[in-house]
Amino acid sequence: MSKHILIVDDDHEIAHLVSISLKNEGFTTTTASNGVEALRKMDEHQIDLIVLDVMMPEMNGLEFCQTVRQTQDLPILMISAKSEDMDKITGIMTGADDYLIKPFNILELIVRIKALLRRAYYYRDVPKDNSLLELGELTINKKKYQAIVGGLEIKLTSKEFEILYLLASNAGQVFDSETIFQRVWKEKYYDSNNTVMVHISNLRDKLEKALGYKVIQTVWGVGYKVE
């Protein structure tokens, strides 16, 4: 079954060009001119990937991306006429999987879309042991709750391990303190709660002592991630 791609752009000529090009590649397409209309189209269709413009009326691409990410993890390719590094970072931080600058080559757009679809769907069919992760010299065993470097176990508390596994199994994704607390402790988070910060600090110290380099990165004002 062909993948269904939602094209969200208030420039109707660009949306039409992208739609025709993708249909020629065997994809099904739906278009929307802003975020509000796009959300409605997502209720009407099973969407597999979104091509998303940043600057749009009513609800712009960044707002739409944040809204979608609250409930879905389908791939999002963001396009924009802005090329500054901070615009790229903002797009990725709101949940986009890739970023392309206007004017773009339609062939490059298609290549990137196919790459995102392979990563998001086709590789899921390959059997793998999700309980075992490797980050450089660090091996993380979910079944045994162990973090191992050079054959030696790093002594972690259960919460420290769960934080590490959450970040490692979503490498590159930034998690704020509230999300980490809710995912690991499974309780309501309060603004004054510094539990996550303390656990992250202890976990980071143990990992750096064993590895000699930093594993958990702080994205200032946003949260934490591993690469």
Side-chain angles (χ1 to χ4, degrees):
M1 184 180 297
S2 69
K3 295 298 182 184
H4 195 151
I5 298 176
L6 174 62
I7 304 158
V8 191
D9 197 322
D10 62 334
D11 188 321
H12 298 294
E13 290 186 7
I14 291 179
H16 180 70
L17 172 62
V18 173
S19 179
I20 292 298
S21 300
L22 291 175
K23 285 179 179 178
N24 288 338
E25 293 292 320
F27 295 109
T28 302
T29 66
T30 295
T31 61
S33 59
N34 59 66
V36 174
E37 182 183 0
L39 289 175
R40 186 169 65 250
K41 294 293 179 70
M42 291 184 70
D43 288 335
E44 299 170 357
H45 305 281
Q46 179 65 46
I47 301 299
D48 299 299
L49 181 144
I50 301 172
V51 176
L52 177 64
D53 185 34
V54 174
M55 302 303 294
M56 296 183 296
E58 293 192 58
M59 177 186 284
N60 65 41
L62 299 179
E63 295 169 335
F64 172 76
C65 189
Q66 290 175 321
T67 301
V68 171
R69 280 290 175 257
Q70 292 175 10
T71 58
Q72 301 189 51
D73 63 352
L74 74 169
I76 297 176
L77 172 60
M78 193 168 281
I79 56 176
S80 173
K82 295 183 177 181
S83 60
E84 291 83 357
D85 287 342
M86 280 310 300
D87 291 306
K88 295 180 184 179
I89 293 170
T90 300
I92 298 299
M93 292 295 293
T94 55
D97 298 282
D98 200 357
Y99 197 103
L100 196 58
I101 303 299
K102 291 181 179 180
F104 53 83
N105 184 305
I106 194 66
L107 294 178
E108 181 181 1
L109 176 70
I110 292 171
V111 167
R112 293 199 184 199
I113 286 173
K114 288 181 177 179
L116 287 174
L117 288 171
R118 281 196 303 271
R119 260 195 326 252
Y121 301 106
Y122 304 138
Y123 291 160
R124 290 179 183 176
D125 297 331
V126 179
K128 59 182 180 180
D129 184 0
N130 289 322
S131 67
L132 197 64
L133 298 175
E134 292 188 359
L135 290 175
E137 303 169 66
L138 177 64
T139 299
I140 304 168
N141 191 319
K142 175 67 172 176
K143 292 179 180 178
K144 296 183 178 180
Y145 264 59
Q146 290 180 331
I148 299 170
V149 175
L152 299 177
E153 181 181 355
I154 305 173
K155 296 299 182 182
L156 303 177
T157 67
S158 61
K159 297 303 183 188
E160 290 170 353
F161 180 88
E162 289 179 23
I163 292 173
L164 174 61
Y165 187 82
L166 172 65
L167 297 177
S169 59
N170 296 277
Q173 183 176 341
V174 180
F175 288 85
D176 58 25
S177 294
E178 180 177 356
T179 301
I180 293 173
F181 188 85
Q182 291 175 341
R183 295 278 287 272
V184 173
W185 276 265
K186 297 178 174 57
E187 298 177 8
K188 183 176 177 60
Y189 178 84
Y190 298 95
D191 290 339
S192 60
N193 192 335
N194 65 351
T195 302
V196 171
M197 183 179 66
V198 172
H199 279 72
I200 289 281
S201 178
N202 292 336
L203 174 59
R204 180 179 279 150
D205 288 344
K206 292 178 181 180
L207 292 174
E208 289 184 22
K209 184 177 294 186
L211 291 164
Y213 55 85
K214 183 178 294 186
V215 174
I216 299 176
Q217 300 178 22
T218 299
V219 180
W220 296 108
V222 182
Y224 307 94
K225 69 173 182 176
V226 301
E227 291 291 353

